[in-house]
Amino acid sequence: MKNKIFYTFLIFISIIVGSFMMYVSYEKIIREDYLISTLEKNSQVESEEYEIALSSLTKFGYIYELQFSDEPHIKYAFYVKDTKDDEYDLLYYSYGVDGDFNRDAKRDQLFSQTINDFE
C-alpha cells in the first residue's frame, strides 16, 4: 500500500514538473517570436543580422541578449513581459560590452527611439 501511494505521488509530481517545463518552453518560443517580429516592424532589423546569444526567465518575463555580426563584442538586452491585457510588451533594456569598454554601440539610440519611444 505504501509503495502504491509513493508511486502515485511520484507520477503526480512528474506530471506537474513536465507541465511546467512545457509551459516555460512554449512561453519562450512565443516571446522570442514577438521579439523578432517587433524588431523587424519597428526598427527594420532583420533576424538574419543577429543571433540570440542568451535568453533567460526572470520573475516578470524573459530577457534576450542579441549579438549582431558587425558588433561581436556588444550584446543588446531586450525584455519581453506580459501586459495587463495578457499580451506582450517589448522593452529595450541596455547593452553590454565584452572586453574593450571604449566601444560605441551603433544601435543603442535606434532601439531607444524605436522600441522605448525615447527621443
Side-chain angles (χ1 to χ4, degrees), residues 20-67:
F20 177 75
M21 297 288 285
M22 287 175 52
Y23 174 76
V24 168
S25 177
Y26 173 75
E27 280 293 312
K28 179 183 176 228
I29 291 168
I30 295 297
R31 291 171 192 240
E32 190 173 303
D33 288 343
Y34 179 79
L35 167 71
I36 292 168
S37 66
T38 304
L39 284 175
E40 286 178 358
K41 183 174 68 177
N42 292 357
S43 302
Q44 286 75 40
V45 175
E46 298 294 324
S47 61
E48 294 82 26
E49 296 178 45
Y50 60 86
E51 67 178 44
I52 297 176
L54 175 78
S55 63
S56 60
L57 174 65
T58 65
K59 184 177 179 180
F60 301 107
Y62 282 81
I63 289 184
Y64 295 92
E65 288 186 358
L66 305 183
Q67 193 166 16

